[in-house]
Amino acid sequence: MRVEVPLSPDPPHLCISCDPTCVSTPRDQSEGDRVRQQPHAARTSGTPRKTAVRAAALVGSAAMVVLALQNGPANAAPASHPSGAAAVALNAPARAAAIKSAQQHADGAARTLGLGAKEKLVVQDVVEDADGTVHTRYERTYAGLPVLGGDLVTHVAKNGALKGVSKATKARISVPTTAAAVSPASARKAAVKAAGTAEASASTARKVVWAAGAKPVLAYESVVKGVQHDGTPSERHVITDATDGKELYSYEAIDTGTGTSQYSGKVTIGTTASASGGYDLIDSGRGGHTTYDLNGGTSGTGTLFHDADDIWGDGTVNNRQTAAVDAAYGAAVTWDFYKSAFNRNGIAGDGRAAYSRVHYGNAYVNAFWDDSCFCMTYGDGTNNTDPLTSLDVAGHEMSHGLTAATAGLKYSRESGGLNEATSDIFGTSVEFFANNPADPGDYLIGEKIDINGDGTPLRYMDKPSKDGNSADYWSRRVGHLNVHYSSGVANHFFYLLSEGSGAKTINGVSYNSPTYDGSTVTGIGRDKADQIWYKALTTYFTSSTDYAGARSGTLQAAADLYGSGSAEYKAVAAAWTAVNVN
């Protein structure tokens, strides 16, 4: 049942977690080194005959996947696309069948791509475009060990022709031995020390091949759980060399973010009648999204929200349901945005909903996404008076789940900035999509919260440096900024691509976006910019995509959707040049 719920219009206070430990420099990369992507430059090596044989093998593999996709129910691509490059939606059984079919032919695909005898491909996702192109996302193993930073995506036309391969690394995957000199216990101990978080512990250390550096090495991946300085849970992945125990890389898997945290007036939410009477806060129309009350706790799911008369909250913090209503509303609008804009069936594309937890901790001033539980968690803000349960927060946090389910952008260096920017981009687009008069769409992040005490926003997409920390343009130091600040480059790109440069007023807000080279950029509209970013994220970005790779991926996406000679393609190139990504 859907009900009208009154909410308070007052904007609460919110602050962002900018933990400097989220940024880590790999030991084998110097400042300015950038892992380059090849989103549309795939070639197979060898003689023309060998190349033809490999291509023929991939034809057979892709044909089976295409058949599985065509046999499964799928909706047509949105009519707004001038080409057949938009992804079609698959229900859960059809998607599972496509993945199973691709996995059955993964060995043939590995041979076609010229991978080594010890390498295997593990299918993570399959996306079909309306024109029949199939994008298959793989993880790799080497001698049975997971290869971190070895992910790749193949792009195969309907007739089986290999159109390209997007790779996280160009390096040949090989290590001298898979016997580690360092014990798992020693690796765990080193990882806990390196994580530097309170109450830290690492229960396991799995042996892996680390391929995101200059040269693949045998390593351990330890997951260290603890507490960050502001009370946010920590799930830090630490990669240590299996030869000498030294840290190679680390990143934080708990993605934090911010939003406007403004209540949205009377809203419609999805609830479900309980067998025992009354109603539960379960949105059966959107994958069964469920909202729980942690009641000050910091673990578990808490208690499912239940109400006798299906009239939820009263718009004040004194009613515990109010925060739950905001969280449920934000999740519903975000689900609807992805369905409407991209024909995507849920955050992971499998029809499964995330869940939300509210009233986390005591006076916790943040919100975060945790992929391990596939859930969003919201604190109650300063003095427990301003729950961080808003539309922007939900859009931002759920988009971290989208990134995790697709490109898997690592949460540090430039890939981390792109991860955060993706959440800002789609969180902003969710706000525009909602068309809620209580919070009109804008390109200001946190504009309602007055976190600076002077009425200024937390972040600006038209000129990110106005917040005093974020980067307007790419430089060699961008990858060493906190990911919430290195995201400024992509946020600026998205604004320029959507709206263009110079002074203008949108929904009553004035903007004046500059460019690195003094050029004039003409925008193509936010809807087209969304389509290009989404397609690049889901089919061309990989775990280690940097800003150079993002430029290549979005250009390929624009070419797929609108043509390589289109105004949209040229606008993407111009917008990246305008933020110094060439």
Side-chain angles (χ1 to χ4, degrees), residues 156-405:
V156 179
K158 185 176 183 179
N159 65 1
L162 178 60
K163 298 171 68 174
V165 183
S166 303
K167 293 183 177 180
T169 179
K170 294 182 289 184
R172 184 77 174 178
I173 307 300
S174 179
V175 294
T177 178
T178 57
V182 174
S183 70
S186 296
R188 292 196 302 270
K189 184 177 180 180
V192 169
K193 183 178 180 181
T197 54
E199 304 172 18
S201 64
S203 57
T204 61
R206 68 168 181 165
K207 197 186 299 182
V208 300
V209 174
W210 173 247
K215 181 180 179 181
V217 297
L218 186 67
Y220 283 107
E221 179 190 32
S222 302
V223 180
V224 181
K225 295 187 176 183
V227 180
Q228 298 181 41
H229 65 89
D230 67 346
T232 303
S234 175
E235 187 176 297
R236 195 158 191 83
H237 292 239
V238 181
I239 314 300
T240 52
D241 195 311
T243 301
D244 56 21
K246 293 182 180 179
E247 181 184 351
L248 296 169
Y249 189 84
S250 67
Y251 69 94
E252 179 60 63
I254 300 295
D255 301 334
T256 58
T258 63
T260 62
S261 200
Q262 179 180 347
Y263 299 132
S264 303
K266 289 186 177 181
V267 297
T268 299
I269 58 175
T271 63
T272 300
S274 173
S276 60
Y279 300 86
D280 295 327
L281 201 46
I282 302 174
D283 191 344
S284 58
R286 297 179 178 87
H289 176 272
T290 308
T291 308
Y292 297 95
D293 184 358
L294 280 173
N295 197 29
T298 58
S299 63
T301 56
T303 304
L304 174 65
F305 275 96
H306 179 84
D307 186 79
D309 59 9
D310 214 16
I311 300 175
W312 302 79
D314 63 4
T316 72
V317 295
N318 295 325
N319 188 317
R320 300 190 67 79
Q321 291 183 355
T322 299
V325 170
D326 273 339
Y329 170 66
V333 174
T334 304
W335 177 286
D336 291 348
F337 165 72
Y338 281 116
K339 182 65 175 177
S340 174
F342 311 122
N343 226 355
R344 188 173 185 86
N345 188 25
I347 295 302
D350 58 1
R352 179 170 65 101
Y355 66 87
S356 297
R357 307 183 303 174
V358 299
H359 303 306
Y360 173 89
N362 180 32
Y364 176 64
V365 191
N366 217 323
F368 60 90
W369 169 270
D370 185 348
D371 197 54
S372 67
C373 65
F374 204 68
C375 70
M376 298 160 290
T377 304
Y378 304 89
D380 284 330
T382 303
N383 298 321
N384 293 316
T385 58
D386 302 308
L388 277 71
T389 49
S390 74
L391 184 58
D392 272 4
V393 170
H396 181 106
E397 301 308 337
M398 291 180 77
S399 295
H400 278 306
L402 169 69
T403 298

Side-chain angles (χ1 to χ4, degrees), residues 404-573:
T406 56
L409 291 161
K410 290 292 188 291
Y411 203 58
S412 87
R413 295 181 70 89
E414 292 188 22
S415 60
L418 289 166
N419 188 317
E420 271 297 315
T422 296
S423 286
D424 277 352
I425 286 167
F426 289 136
T428 292
S429 295
V430 165
E431 186 179 76
F432 274 101
F433 172 79
N435 196 28
N436 189 318
D439 186 13
D442 54 55
Y443 294 96
L444 306 175
I445 309 299
E447 74 278 4
K448 301 295 186 180
I449 62 177
D450 195 24
I451 195 170
N452 299 318
D454 57 5
T456 58
L458 183 61
R459 290 198 292 274
Y460 306 75
M461 296 185 81
D462 65 321
K463 188 179 181 183
S465 64
K466 287 197 291 186
D467 68 11
N469 294 295
S470 294
D472 289 337
Y473 313 114
W474 183 86
S475 69
R476 290 182 179 274
R477 65 180 294 270
V478 160
H480 299 281
L481 296 176
N482 181 280
V483 294
H484 297 91
Y485 302 145
S486 60
S487 62
V489 179
N491 281 344
H492 193 190
F493 159 80
F494 183 80
Y495 175 86
L496 288 169
L497 182 62
S498 299
E499 306 293 347
S501 57
K504 53 181 57 69
T505 301
I506 304 167
N507 282 352
V509 179
S510 297
Y511 304 94
N512 193 357
S513 191
T515 58
Y516 180 80
D517 56 358
S519 61
T520 298
V521 176
T522 301
I524 61 174
R526 188 184 57 263
D527 290 343
K528 288 183 177 179
D530 276 337
Q531 295 299 331
I532 290 169
W533 192 267
Y534 176 82
K535 184 165 185 65
L537 177 78
T538 55
T539 59
Y540 294 115
F541 288 2
T542 66
S543 61
S544 60
T545 293
D546 59 5
Y547 273 112
R551 178 187 171 105
S552 297
T554 50
L555 282 170
Q556 184 61 57
D560 290 348
L561 291 167
Y562 306 105
S564 58
S566 65
E568 291 82 1
Y569 182 94
K570 293 174 182 177
V572 170

Side-chain angles (χ1 to χ4, degrees), residues 12-25:
H13 180 77
L14 173 69
C15 92
I16 190 170
S17 169
C18 289
D19 183 357
T21 62
C22 288
V23 181
S24 177
T25 304

